Amino acid sequence: MNASFVTFILPVIIIVFLMLVLIAVAVFFLLIRGSKAPSPTKSPQVAAHQAGKHAPSRALMTLSWPEGSYAVQQLPITIGRESDNDIVINDATVSRRHARIYYDNEEETFCIEDLNSDNGMIINGRPSRRNILLDRYQIRLGETIIKVSGLTPRNPASVVEKEQA
């Protein structure tokens, strides 16, 4: 073999081959990761229905954000990035299990609590770990702002609790 082939062309061929292998491995892992990520077109309502969660027709409140909305019909609910949450937010700054909304029987109020998320929770411009929820409140989880609407004071007996598994 020619000396220039061994000293120049053979290392180039090896480098190109290794780059192709790295690209193939990266594409493989992206495909696997992409198949496990929640579908951005799947609405929380569809996800809740498919999970077998049934609720009465009257909503307790509606939560709206730029990519969707969710009629809350029973409590508690969880909000986060992972698909097992009642509300799935497709935002990298939202934790996998970011917050929980529930009804506090002692205070007779709707509440939201942060579930030890990385980026915290801001209610109406103020950082909070736990807060009551009222109509027209704004909840910020990561970079996503969720607006509360349709929430009215209720008799505690009218709040539907989810069945415990």
Side-chain angles (χ1 to χ4, degrees), residues 56-158:
S57 61
R58 180 164 164 81
L60 301 171
M61 70 185 87
T62 299
L63 303 175
S64 304
W65 61 100
E67 290 78 34
S69 67
Y70 183 80
V72 178
Q73 296 181 330
Q74 61 190 104
L75 295 169
I77 64 166
T78 57
I79 305 170
R81 252 188 8 252
E82 286 199 339
S83 61
D84 65 340
N85 288 289
D86 298 288
I87 298 176
V88 177
I89 303 291
N90 192 13
D91 175 349
T93 61
V94 171
S95 293
R96 285 177 271 176
R97 238 173 143 65
H98 201 111
R100 177 175 80 107
I101 295 177
Y102 63 98
Y103 188 80
D104 187 317
N105 288 315
E106 288 181 22
E107 295 180 24
E108 295 185 359
T109 58
F110 293 95
C111 298
I112 185 167
E113 70 179 337
D114 187 282
L115 298 175
N116 298 316
S117 66
D118 290 335
N119 292 322
M121 178 175 72
I122 298 173
I123 308 295
N124 291 339
R126 292 190 155 155
S128 180
R129 301 293 297 159
R130 180 186 179 279
N131 210 84
I132 65 167
L133 280 181
L134 296 173
D135 197 44
R136 293 184 274 172
Y137 268 30
Q138 289 191 4
I139 306 162
R140 182 173 176 173
L141 305 178
E143 295 297 319
T144 300
I145 296 175
I146 301 170
K147 296 178 182 178
V148 179
S149 63
L151 193 151
T152 57
R154 299 199 179 262
N155 175 342
S158 70

Side-chain angles (χ1 to χ4, degrees), residues 43-61:
S43 73
Q45 295 89 338
V46 172
H49 177 70
Q50 289 175 345
K53 299 172 185 171
H54 301 287
S57 61
R58 180 164 164 81
L60 301 171
M61 70 185 87

